[in-house]
Amino acid sequence: MDMDMDPDMPNQPKFLPRVQRSTAGTANSYVATASGNPFETDEEDEIFSRHKMVLRVPSNCTGDLMHLTVSRNWLFCLLGTAERTTLLRFFLPRAIPPGEVALEKYLSGSGYKITRMFLDPTGHHLIIALVPRSASSGVSPDFLYIHCLESPQAQQLKVRRIEKFKDHEITAVAFNPYHGSESTTGPILLGTSRGLIFETELSPALDGHVQRKQLYDLGLGRPKYTITGLKLLRVPNSNRYIIVVTSPECIYTFQETLKAEERSLQSIFAGYVSGVQEPHCEERKTDLTYSQLRFFAPPNGKYPKQWAWLCGEGIRVGELSIEGNSATTLIGNTLINLDFEKAMHLSYEERRLNIPKAFVLTEYHAVLLYADHIRAICLLNQEQVYQEPFDEARVGKPLNIERDDHTGSIYVYTTKTVFNVRVTREERNVWRIYLDKGQYELATAHAAENPENLQLVLGQRADAAFADGSYQVAADYYSETDKSFEEVCLKFMELPDKRPIINYIKKRLSRMTTMPVEVEAMDEEEASVFKALVIWLIDLYLIQINMPDQNEEWRKAWQTEYDEFMMDASVLSCTRQNREDVQDLIAEHADPHNMAQFAIAIGDYDEVVGQQLKAESYTEALQTLINQRNPELFYKYAPELITKLPKPTVDALMAQGSRLEVEKLVPTLIIMEDREQREQTQRYLEFAIYKLNTTNDAIHNFLLHLYAQHDPKLLMKYLEIQGRDETLVHYDIHYAFKICHDLKVKEACVFLDCLLRKWVSAVDLALTFDMKLAKETASRPTDSEMRRTLWLRIAYHDIKGTDDVKKALNLLKECDLLRIEDLLPFFSDFEKIDNFKEPICDALQDYNQRIQELQREMSETEEQTKRVREDLQDIRQHSFTANAQDTCGVCEMMLLVKPFFVFMCGHKFHSDCLEKQVVPMLTKEQAKRLNTLKQQLEAEVQTQSQALSLPHSSALGKQQAKELQRKRALLKTQIEDIVAADCLFCGLLINTIDQPFVDDWEQVNVEWE
């Protein structure tokens, strides 16, 4: 495409403000503010610019341009002369030969002329409206249907006259983008000059079978009621269809929800035809004979965002409802005044120049075509932003303006030229318009891409909020601007409410940094600013928290917000670095609670607990200890806390579990001023011993001492738990005995005497207070002689001086080691023998039984000895004969080729084969013993060989040689005792039958993998 600019500008009407063109360069687009002054655009392209297009028209096609329409980059134009009328179809993205078809046979011979062209969204279906050239031509209105096909070689345009619609002048068409395709239009609507609305469907496949259905009559029989605009819409995500219809003075809307499978549009009008409902109608007074309906959707958009209607009042602009059940379709009623009333008093020529011929709609502008110029008006403030004239002598008479809804491109055409009106960032100054109108949300949204513009919007928005008294809102916006910090703070400092300035400073802090790492990385100046803001905020918060005459709810709310602020990572990092300044500030406000909270935040728990104890806030001090993780503070402050809060303190110590070293903690708990402290200390010692399993003897001794002093029953329970093995107890036995002896805990002394094996002392002590305990103690020694001695002491204590025969007899029953003869010396010489008759007889009978049993055992022993002698004699005479055919039971080779063993069962094995089989079955001790013996035997053999090799070996004594031979024989015998202790088949293998085949399955799994 070629570009060309028109330099001339004709005279403008007196009532329109002239927009002068820039003399520096070729700029021809202007943008006006709300006040009407143009923005400077020297460094940026104009919003609107007109560029001449060069269409590659075939050389055989000549004449003036009559009509043009475009959709989806398919551009149709109609060229005509007196003799020839040609329709051309161009595909704008590629320079391919245009489609061409001659239409003169449908026009010149039959007296028709073309009034309008309508193109469907796909660019493949074109409707050309035909009307008689004159009333005397003898023809009636009609239209042509052109279906377009294309191939890589050429385009094919097929023309058909539609006879069904004779006598109806088509003035508007609503194509169906929801059912239409390249092969068919789907159900479409046709509007006529008499106000009739028809439904039909056009397709090459239908040929002559075009259906016609009249759906509605807006003209109500009037011969002239032109439908100027017709649009079919479907609300997104629903089956609600909307039809918008315009006439020169009215705009109508019809709507109905259709079934999903329903194609026909007749149901939309059914309720209106039957009178059940009336179409929504808005009427506007006009002296124009035409109007124009336009919609705007973003390129490739499926549903329009805006609608506009050029009528007698001007241009009405609004939005479309996207609600599936909304009763109102056309939302908004903004009127762009075009001063039509002034034009009514002008001459025909001036009126022609000042009434727009047509217009198109963009997102923020309406582009209007006049008889001699084109201009654009902003929809937001109705200011003219662009104007450019046409030199009719050069470029021809302007005819119409069209917009490709698919691409958003705008085309203006005259009788000689086609222009493309390029739109460049039309939203660039929308933010300022919204800003001047006070619509700050929209201004902010449109200025977001340009930081400089955004700062201007936020600053003005903040000023407006401050002026309205919305101080907190103003603070939020001020914090996002680059306005002077001092200027903003001075504004807010005058206010009694400190919430706005607190919010402002917090947001400024958040803009500076959000991470403690960044705080540490700041340079000195930035760090100083950050520190000042944090200190100031802390001061403001503490003022609010400690403000007099405020209720608890007020303080609680401010305290919560202050706590959240102080726990912010960046603030915490700053306060750690400047802890002294912060502590001094909090101290000035005399706020111990927040002083403690700050110390906790920075980890200075020692200071916190110290201050809380000074303030006698023992519960808070204990809670602080619980919240921290330094065990040294427990060792330091537990003695004081346990005197004030015994049970809670011990609960806290027990909750720490093994994190505390009991050895360090217990010495701090020795001071016990009352019973509760002692009980809680005892409870912690029990926890340390029974739960933490501490073995420290000092801890055990401490608890033992408390038990002995205050609760002997628990002492005995403790001693029993510790056990009676002196090597396993965790207390000092001698210390425990001394404590128990000093405190006269006799039962414990008896227990400890037993532990020390002082049986006599233990029994003697037990006899002083508990006979049962004495008897139990006497039964404990494992040495029977000791037990007998102890029971004799019990008998002496129980009988001597009493001569109680019954007690003596009971003792004989309780201890089987005592005999009647042991007890008789404890009785007086004058005791009657009759009292002992029965026990003495029992003793004699027992002696007799024992003598008989010993005689029987001696007889059995003698018999067994005799049998053993006979077996030994048989074994000495037993022999085995080894034949040359005998084989080893393991390797099955000849037995006589190597040393071998023969067992009584008859199994025979080579000595080395047997050893290989037996060694894996030996225990570790046996295997170790076997290796030692073999090493010793090998050493003896080497020693004898070396001695024989010496020159004086002949001098070796016979006695020494016999000694060496005896040692070797002994070692061999010991080795054989291990290897050949039992038959491999009859003994060893049978003994291992219950052992698993595999001992180490993990190793086996590794090997198999």
Side-chain angles (χ1 to χ4, degrees):
M1 273 187 268
D2 186 24
M3 298 184 186
D4 187 22
M5 303 304 298
D6 192 29
D8 298 326
M9 182 177 180
N11 294 330
Q12 290 183 325
K14 297 178 181 179
F15 65 89
L16 284 178
R18 180 181 297 275
V19 181
Q20 299 294 337
R21 299 185 55 172
S22 173
T23 58
T26 60
N28 53 24
S29 175
Y30 300 87
V31 179
T33 64
S35 62
N37 296 324
F39 290 112
E40 294 295 335
T41 59
D42 294 342
E43 299 180 358
E44 192 171 13
D45 293 339
E46 302 86 350
I47 293 179
F48 294 97
S49 56
R50 191 182 73 189
H51 305 278
K52 181 178 178 181
M53 296 175 58
V54 176
L55 300 177
R56 299 181 182 277
V57 179
S59 58
N60 61 337
C61 298
T62 59
D64 291 339
L65 184 59
M66 301 167 60
H67 296 278
L68 180 144
T69 184
V70 63
S71 178
R72 202 175 285 267
N73 279 320
W74 290 105
L75 185 144
F76 289 78
C77 61
L78 199 62
L79 300 180
T81 63
E83 297 80 18
R84 180 181 174 88
T85 301
T86 306
L87 178 66
L88 298 176
R89 181 177 186 249
F90 295 90
F91 187 59
L92 299 177
R94 296 200 301 271
I96 61 175
E100 177 184 351
V101 64
L103 301 179
E104 59 270 9
K105 69 176 181 178
Y106 300 99
L107 304 174
S108 55
S110 53
Y112 283 105
K113 67 176 181 180
I114 296 173
T115 56
R116 296 174 181 83
M117 292 198 310
F118 306 96
L119 182 61
D120 83 309
T122 68
H124 287 75
H125 305 278
L126 181 70
I127 294 176
I128 299 178
L130 305 178
V131 297
R133 289 183 181 274
S134 64
S136 60
S137 59
V139 294
S140 58
D142 201 350
F143 74 83
L144 302 177
Y145 165 59
I146 295 94
H147 180 253
C148 308
L149 296 173
E150 59 272 352
S151 65
Q153 292 76 25
Q155 299 186 47
Q156 180 182 0
L157 279 61
K158 185 177 180 181
V159 183
R160 264 190 32 224
R161 184 188 297 274
I162 307 301
E163 302 288 344
K164 288 278 187 180
F165 288 88
K166 270 194 173 296
D167 298 331
H168 294 286
E169 179 186 351
I170 305 302
T171 58
V173 177
F175 284 100
N176 191 335
Y178 313 108
H179 293 99
S181 64
E182 294 182 2
S183 59
T184 179
T185 61
I188 63 173
L189 300 177
L190 305 179
T192 71
S193 59
R194 290 186 289 177
L196 300 176
I197 299 176
F198 292 96
E199 179 186 23
T200 189
E201 182 171 358
L202 302 176
S203 169
L206 295 175
D207 202 15
H209 303 287
V210 176
Q211 299 294 320
R212 185 187 81 174
K213 295 180 185 177
Q214 180 177 327
L215 302 184
Y216 202 76
D217 183 2
L218 286 175
L220 299 176
R222 283 177 283 187
K224 193 68 175 177
Y225 193 78
T226 306
I227 294 178
T228 59
L230 194 57
K231 186 71 173 179
L232 174 65
L233 302 169
R234 185 175 69 188
V235 177
N237 303 317
S238 75
N239 286 320
R240 187 168 75 94
Y241 283 80
I242 299 169
I243 295 176
V244 184
V245 188
T246 59
S247 68
E249 67 273 4
C250 292
I251 182 168
Y252 303 87
T253 55
F254 303 82
Q255 57 180 325
E256 186 59 66
T257 301
L258 302 183
K259 297 179 181 178
E261 68 278 2
E262 190 172 2
R263 283 171 52 87
S264 175
L265 306 175
Q266 186 174 4
S267 299
I268 300 175
F269 295 92
Y272 301 97
V273 172
S274 63
V276 175
Q277 54 183 330
E278 292 291 331
H280 183 271
C281 174
E282 295 184 27
E283 186 174 355
R284 293 293 182 267
K285 182 180 179 181
T286 181
D287 62 343
L288 299 178
T289 60
Y290 65 93
S291 68
Q292 191 171 25
L293 178 66
R294 294 289 191 182
F295 292 85
F296 169 78
N300 298 317
K302 295 183 178 181
Y303 192 74
K305 291 175 56 179
Q306 299 176 91
W307 62 275
W309 179 39
L310 174 61
C311 59
E313 288 185 334
I315 299 179
R316 290 186 58 212
V317 182
E319 298 178 349
L320 280 89
S321 170
I322 59 172
E323 298 294 332
N325 55 359
S326 174
T328 304
T329 302
L330 305 180
I331 304 173
N333 192 14
T334 303
L335 177 65
I336 299 177
N337 190 357
L338 299 179
D339 292 330
F340 285 165
E341 293 183 359
K342 293 182 180 181
M344 292 173 58
H345 306 289
L346 300 177
S347 65
Y348 172 78
E349 182 61 25
E350 289 179 330
R351 181 182 173 86
R352 185 181 71 84
L353 295 176
N354 291 283
I355 300 296
K357 297 165 67 69
F359 83 106
V360 294
L361 193 62
T362 67
E363 188 170 8
Y364 299 106
H365 299 86
V367 184
L368 294 88
L369 178 67
Y370 291 80
D372 63 346
H373 68 281
I374 182 174
R375 66 169 174 156
I377 297 176
C378 180
L379 301 178
L380 302 177
N381 60 1
Q382 302 186 20
E383 293 294 332
Q384 179 176 301
V385 299
Y386 164 73
Q387 180 168 324
E388 191 166 0
F390 289 99
D391 183 359
E392 189 170 331
R394 282 186 52 208
V395 300
K397 177 184 177 181
L399 297 178
N400 203 352
I401 183 170
E402 296 286 346
R403 179 177 179 271
D404 187 342
D405 291 335
H406 180 74
T407 63
S409 300
I410 299 174
Y411 302 91
V412 177
Y413 63 96
T414 68
T415 55
K416 297 180 180 180
T417 312
V418 180
F419 295 95
N420 172 237
V421 179
R422 185 175 299 168
V423 184
T424 306
R425 292 187 59 244
E426 63 171 326
E427 75 283 356
R428 67 180 71 168
N429 295 309
V430 170
W431 65 272
R432 183 178 288 276
I433 298 172
Y434 283 129
L435 180 63
D436 293 340
K437 294 171 70 173
Q439 298 178 341
Y440 297 113
E441 290 289 346
L442 293 172
T444 303
H446 286 84
E449 295 183 0
N450 189 318
E452 192 174 318
N453 296 342
L454 183 60
Q455 285 296 316
L456 187 61
V457 172
L458 292 174
Q460 190 167 328
R461 187 173 188 178
D463 291 339
F466 190 90
D468 291 341
S470 302
Y471 301 119
Q472 294 189 32
V473 176
D476 292 340
Y477 291 126
Y478 276 129
S479 66
E480 298 179 21
T481 67
D482 294 332
K483 283 202 170 189
S484 167
F485 179 78
E486 294 79 4
E487 177 187 351
V488 176
C489 288
L490 287 174
K491 282 188 174 186
F492 288 120
M493 286 300 293
E494 298 174 357
L495 302 175
D497 183 10
K498 300 306 177 186
R499 166 64 67 190
I501 192 169
I502 289 176
N503 287 352
Y504 172 69
I505 299 174
K506 285 177 68 176
K507 288 187 177 291
R508 287 299 295 260
L509 278 175
S510 65
R511 287 183 61 189
M512 293 182 67
T513 180
T514 56
M515 296 177 62
V517 176
E518 295 178 358
V519 175
E520 296 167 1
M522 288 180 179
D523 58 31
E524 185 175 351
E525 182 178 355
E526 289 178 336
S528 298
V529 172
F530 193 84
K531 171 189 171 183
L533 293 179
V534 170
I535 297 294
W536 190 11
L537 261 180
I538 294 174
D539 186 41
L540 290 172
Y541 271 123
L542 293 177
I543 290 173
Q544 299 302 310
I545 293 171
N546 298 292
M547 185 174 290
D549 302 327
Q550 293 295 339
N551 56 33
E552 187 61 28
E553 185 178 354
W554 163 283
R555 291 189 176 87
K556 186 176 180 181
W558 279 105
Q559 183 67 53
T560 301
E561 185 175 335
Y562 170 76
D563 292 341
E564 292 177 357
F565 167 73
M566 293 296 287
M567 292 308 296
D568 180 79
S570 56
V571 174
L572 193 58
S573 176
C574 178
T575 52
R576 279 200 184 105
Q577 297 175 17
N578 304 279
R579 65 175 63 190
E580 294 181 0
D581 296 333
V582 176
Q583 288 174 337
D584 292 344
L585 177 60
I586 299 176
E588 290 177 5
H589 286 273
D591 192 337
H593 171 74
N594 284 311
M595 178 68 81
Q597 291 298 107
F598 174 67
I600 291 173
I602 62 175
D604 191 1
Y605 292 98
D606 195 0
E607 177 70 19
V608 176
V609 177
Q611 290 190 8
Q612 290 171 336
L613 291 178
K614 286 181 182 178
E616 297 185 354
S617 300
Y618 301 110
T619 303
E620 292 183 4
L622 180 59
Q623 189 61 41
T624 303
L625 270 181
I626 294 172
N627 293 337
Q628 60 89 38
R629 290 293 179 268
N630 183 6
E632 296 298 329
L633 297 185
F634 280 95
Y635 309 144
K636 181 177 180 180
Y637 293 108
E640 184 173 355
L641 285 172
I642 202 170
T643 61
K644 305 298 181 182
L645 303 170
K647 186 178 186 304
T649 302
V650 170
D651 289 340
L653 297 177
M654 292 170 64
Q656 295 297 313
S658 58
R659 287 193 293 270
L660 297 179
E661 296 182 30
V662 183
E663 295 79 1
K664 291 185 178 179
L665 184 63
V666 169
T668 66
L669 307 178
I670 293 177
I671 301 175
M672 294 174 288
E673 299 177 354
D674 54 32
R675 178 180 177 180
E676 184 181 8
Q677 293 179 31
R678 188 260 305 166
E679 289 178 348
Q680 295 304 320
T681 300
Q682 180 176 309
R683 186 163 71 94
Y684 182 75
L685 294 174
E686 290 172 345
F687 169 78
I689 290 173
Y690 297 128
K691 298 297 182 181
L692 301 183
N693 299 318
T694 181
T695 58
N696 186 280
D697 57 349
I699 307 301
H700 285 263
N701 291 340
F702 190 7
L703 180 61
L704 186 145
H705 192 172
L706 292 177
Y707 281 153
Q709 190 171 4
H710 302 285
D711 202 336
K713 290 184 178 180
L714 289 178
L715 172 61
M716 292 310 301
K717 181 180 178 181
Y718 166 79
L719 293 176
E720 290 292 346
I721 292 174
Q722 286 293 302
R724 296 179 177 274
D725 187 343
E726 62 179 336
T727 61
L728 299 179
V729 298
H730 300 301
Y731 53 87
D732 187 330
I733 300 176
H734 297 284
Y735 171 79
F737 185 82
K738 180 180 183 303
I739 293 296
C740 294
H741 182 270
D742 293 344
L743 296 175
K744 294 182 172 50
V745 187
K746 295 182 178 180
E747 186 176 358
C749 289
V750 171
F751 184 95
L752 295 171
D753 272 337
C754 293
L755 207 62
L756 294 171
R757 302 294 186 270
K758 296 180 180 180
W759 302 107
V760 175
S761 175
V763 170
D764 289 347
L765 179 60
L767 288 173
T768 63
F769 67 94
D770 190 343
M771 175 60 71
K772 182 180 179 181
L773 178 61
K775 292 178 180 180
E776 291 176 355
T777 304
S779 301
R780 292 189 179 280
T782 57
D783 183 9
S784 59
E785 189 61 32
M786 175 57 69
R787 288 204 307 275
R788 183 173 180 277
T789 302
L790 296 177
W791 276 99
L792 286 174
R793 297 182 73 85
I794 294 174
Y796 178 81
H797 178 273
D798 212 17
I799 299 172
K800 190 66 175 178
T802 64
D803 295 334
D804 191 338
V805 176
K806 188 176 181 180
K807 287 184 178 181
L809 296 178
N810 289 335
L811 287 174
L812 291 176
K813 293 179 180 178
E814 290 180 31
C815 180
D816 57 355
L817 298 178
L818 296 179
R819 297 289 179 267
I820 187 63
E821 60 269 28
D822 297 328
L823 302 182
L824 290 177
F826 301 148
F827 290 91
S828 64
D829 296 337
F830 303 100
E831 185 67 29
K832 293 182 179 181
I833 195 67
D834 294 342
N835 295 330
F836 303 99
K837 179 180 179 181
E838 185 175 350
I840 292 172
C841 291
D842 291 341
L844 292 175
Q845 185 177 359
D846 183 46
Y847 288 146
N848 185 43
Q849 289 177 353
R850 291 184 62 188
I851 292 171
Q852 291 178 1
E853 184 176 350
L854 288 173
Q855 289 176 347
R856 186 173 61 254
E857 290 176 357
M858 290 173 61
S859 176
E860 289 178 356
T861 303
E862 184 178 355
E863 183 66 25
Q864 290 176 358
T865 303
K866 182 179 178 181
R867 286 200 299 268
V868 169
R869 287 197 195 99
E870 292 175 354
D871 290 343
L872 290 175
Q873 187 65 30
D874 291 341
I875 291 173
R876 289 191 186 98
Q877 297 175 359
H878 186 74
S879 64
F880 290 93
T881 303
N883 300 320
Q885 293 80 13
D886 290 342
T887 59
C888 173
V890 175
C891 66
E892 297 183 355
M893 294 181 65
M894 297 294 292
L895 182 67
L896 301 178
V897 296
K898 289 191 290 185
F900 60 89
F901 288 101
V902 179
F903 291 91
M904 294 289 293
C905 58
H907 291 118
K908 310 173 185 67
F909 307 97
H910 289 141
S911 59
D912 56 346
C913 293
L914 180 62
E915 183 176 348
K916 289 180 182 179
Q917 297 294 322
V918 170
V919 167
M921 302 180 190
L922 298 177
T923 63
K924 291 183 179 179
E925 293 77 9
Q926 290 175 329
K928 184 176 180 181
R929 174 63 176 163
L930 179 61
N931 290 333
T932 303
L933 292 173
K934 290 172 72 176
Q935 291 174 3
Q936 291 177 0
L937 179 60
E938 185 177 355
E940 290 294 335
V941 172
Q942 290 179 356
T943 301
Q944 186 174 356
S945 299
Q946 291 174 359
L948 293 174
S949 63
L950 294 175
H952 57 276
S953 59
S954 57
L956 190 62
K958 292 183 179 181
Q959 187 65 28
Q960 188 175 1
K962 288 181 179 180
E963 182 65 22
L964 290 175
Q965 187 174 2
R966 187 188 65 79
K967 286 184 178 181
R968 287 180 59 193
L970 178 62
L971 290 174
K972 281 185 178 183
T973 301
Q974 292 176 348
I975 292 173
E976 290 173 355
D977 289 342
I978 295 175
V979 173
D982 200 355
C983 175
L984 177 64
F985 292 160
C986 299
L988 295 177
L989 292 179
I990 294 176
N991 294 334
T992 60
I993 195 169
D994 60 342
Q995 295 181 2
F997 291 109
V998 178
D999 293 328
D1000 191 352
W1001 281 105
E1002 294 183 0
Q1003 181 63 28
V1004 171
N1005 290 335
V1006 172
E1007 293 175 354
W1008 287 358
E1009 289 177 358

